Amino acid sequence: MAVETDTRTAPALVEDVEALVRYAVASGMLAPEDETWAYNAVLECVGTTGPGAPHANMMLADQYTLAPTRDLGVDESVTMFELPDCEGFDLEATIERVAAAGVAAGRDEDTPSGRDRIATRVMDILMPRPSEVSNMFAELYDEEGPEAATDWFYRLCCDARYVRTAAIAKNIAWTSPTSWGDLEITINLSKPEKDPKAIAAAGAAPATGDVYPACQLCMENEGYRGRGAGEAHGSHPARQNLRIVPVTLGDEHWGLQYSPYAYFNEHCIAMSAEHRLMHVDRENMGRLLDFVDLFPHYFVGSNADLPIVGGSILAHDHFQGGRHVFPMMKAPVEDAFELAGYPAVSCGVVRWPLSVLKLTSTDREQLLDAAAHVLDVWRGWTDEAVGVIAESDREAHNTITPVACREGDGYVLYLALRCNIATEEHPLGVFHPHAEWHHIKKENIGLIEVMGLAILPPRLVEELGAVERMLVEHAGEPEALAAALDADPLTASHAAWARGLAATHPEVSAENVEEIVRGGVSDVFGHVLEDAGVYKWDAAGRAGLKRFIDAL
């Protein structure tokens, strides 16, 4: 039976493998001279030894046409080569079929992560080695500039399926006007859900010996096979097709890569070669400026270095950046102020729900000195009138979320003041999304959300859809709407909020309900950001911020 199955499926499989190889050549990932080698390497990866490529003669002709050995002894030769036409090629469907063949051949476990490991290894075969990537990046950077280099590198990561563009396209995103300007919302559907088999295997996974790599941000992930949930130390994503460009920040070895599940355009990550804790200080803010010196068309920022107000990975020193202008960067400066001793630095308070100071200067060192001064004062700042406590039980609570970009010849540093104090009333954090907004957003407010882009959980697709249906079905019937919302598990947590939407939008209909609900979600995100702001935009908050600025 197995032989019959192999015979029946082999022609389709090799057509897919050949198509992948031709796609890699057309995308510039694979040299045409390597087609036959790549074809055979992919066959091995999926557990078969043949048959040959349907158009093997075409591959051999490509290799001959471009081979420098073809014209040995000839002084000059002119080679014309036309790239394959891959219009209409479906990378996702093809790689899924090839990975399924590998699973059927026993090359990995029959789980989403098992199939992904095979697919990722196949793409690794079809792309340049890390040294080739670094060489090409440096050549483009030197000859055509930083934008050309990052354009090429980003396209490579997308073509190689490291940046999961097909998965990212599933995300639901919109922008809505609020009292804080246009806020950006993303319901994250791109990251794969955990498979029940993987969840069961994770419970039995051994955890002996050292973890390798130490975390998902370590540079040792480049080329790593990944692990299944049942293997030692549990699940770890496949990273065979990861490519990292080494860069120097603050006289240290750092790496530049792109995020697999990007939340904005050219979402990149810079990470230290050393696995060490996140830290925010003058040294790392200097590295942010180093980054925008290298890539002035990108912004870059660091998550805060404390729990609650920090990002999800505090164990590895890293930054996030990319080619995007966030709502916070479009917000006006409300109040200008001066910092004594730093005459070359312009300072202002950004009109933003979080407490953000904007420092600009063409004098890099003075800007860093000023930012370090703000951070030093803030770390020790207590103002009980507004709930800011610098330290309790020997635990520090104050830090900042810094963001850097270039404006013309100058530098900009945004410093968002953060405090992770928690109380009995707000056990998850005083300056964290409060309980009334948890039906929409409960997770930490990290770097990306500080700047005005919400990343919301996938559960909201079904839940908000149910809210929309009920708003339309019970339009003008507040009692019936309330009863329906409370009775449905999908909408019960949203009931009070949805009743408020109905009350403020009596015009709700099937034609406008999505816009109304999305606008309501954006308003909630605005309130979430207000909760995260240490100084509110009321009299007490403005007075508190003035006290802090005066202390600077």
Side-chain angles (χ1 to χ4, degrees), residues 178-183 327-328 331-332 349-356 416-418 431 445 449-453 522-538 542 545:
T178 73
S179 58
W180 298 108
D182 292 343
L183 296 182
M328 183 190 76
V349 177
V350 181
R351 176 73 185 180
W352 191 242
L354 278 90
S355 304
V356 179
L417 307 178
R418 313 299 301 275
F431 303 107
I445 301 303
E449 291 174 311
V450 163
M451 296 184 288
L453 193 165
S522 298
D523 287 338
V524 168
F525 181 50
H527 292 307
V528 162
L529 296 182
E530 290 169 4
D531 287 346
V534 293
Y535 294 111
K536 311 307 181 189
W537 284 85
D538 56 19
R542 294 306 89 196
L545 181 57

Side-chain angles (χ1 to χ4, degrees), residues 234-245:
S235 178
H236 190 101
R239 290 290 183 259
Q240 296 104 316
N241 61 345
L242 166 62
R243 296 295 183 266
I244 299 171
V245 171

Side-chain angles (χ1 to χ4, degrees), residues 325-343:
V325 179
F326 285 85
M328 183 190 76
M329 298 171 174
K330 302 174 186 177
V333 171
E334 185 83 358
D335 298 304
F337 64 92
E338 295 181 356
L339 282 178
Y342 308 97

Side-chain angles (χ1 to χ4, degrees), residues 195-215:
D195 181 67
K197 293 181 186 177
I199 294 172
T208 56
D210 293 334
V211 178
Y212 177 82
C215 79

Side-chain angles (χ1 to χ4, degrees), residues 311-538:
S312 58
I313 301 179
L314 297 180
H316 197 111
D317 207 6
H318 72 285
F319 308 142
Q320 295 182 73
R323 191 181 297 200
H324 190 68
V325 179
F326 285 85
M328 183 190 76
M329 298 171 174
K330 302 174 186 177
V333 171
E334 185 83 358
D335 298 304
F337 64 92
E338 295 181 356
L339 282 178
Y342 308 97
V345 180
S346 299
C347 308
V349 177
V350 181
R351 176 73 185 180
W352 191 242
L354 278 90
S355 304
V356 179
L357 306 182
K358 182 179 181 181
L359 278 57
T360 61
S361 183
T362 56
D363 187 328
R364 174 194 163 107
E365 294 308 307
Q366 194 171 128
L367 176 63
L368 286 173
D369 288 341
H373 173 64
V374 171
L375 175 59
D376 288 344
V377 175
W378 176 245
R379 285 201 189 277
W381 188 255
T382 290
D383 189 341
E384 294 185 8
V386 292
V388 173
I389 308 295
E391 183 180 328
S392 63
D393 299 325
R394 299 184 180 179
E395 180 183 351
H397 296 302
N398 292 352
T399 187
I400 62 171
T401 301
V403 178
C405 62
R406 295 295 300 266
E407 282 188 359
D409 294 331
Y411 299 93
V412 177
L413 274 174
Y414 293 94
L415 309 179
L417 307 178
R418 313 299 301 275
C419 177
N420 77 346
I421 190 74
T423 63
E424 289 186 7
E425 182 183 2
H426 300 293
L428 298 181
V430 172
F431 303 107
H432 176 85
H434 289 178
E436 62 186 305
W437 314 122
H438 287 179
H439 66 103
I440 297 292
K441 177 67 177 177
K442 186 177 182 179
E443 298 79 12
N444 293 359
I445 301 303
L447 168 67
I448 296 170
E449 291 174 311
V450 163
M451 296 184 288
L453 193 165
I455 303 165
L456 302 180
R459 63 176 172 82
L460 288 177
V461 174
E462 191 175 7
E463 293 176 7
L464 295 180
V467 167
E468 291 176 8
R469 289 193 299 274
M470 291 185 185
L471 287 173
V472 172
E473 289 173 7
H474 301 290
E477 303 172 344
E479 292 183 2
L481 174 63
L485 289 167
D486 288 335
D488 191 329
L490 287 175
T491 58
S493 66
H494 302 288
W497 170 72
R499 291 196 301 270
L501 288 178
T504 54
H505 294 281
E507 78 285 5
V508 65
S509 67
E511 289 69 33
N512 64 17
V513 68
E514 182 182 84
E515 181 181 0
I516 289 171
V517 168
R518 288 186 172 187
V521 170
S522 298
D523 287 338
V524 168
F525 181 50
H527 292 307
V528 162
L529 296 182
E530 290 169 4
D531 287 346
V534 293
Y535 294 111
K536 311 307 181 189
W537 284 85
D538 56 19

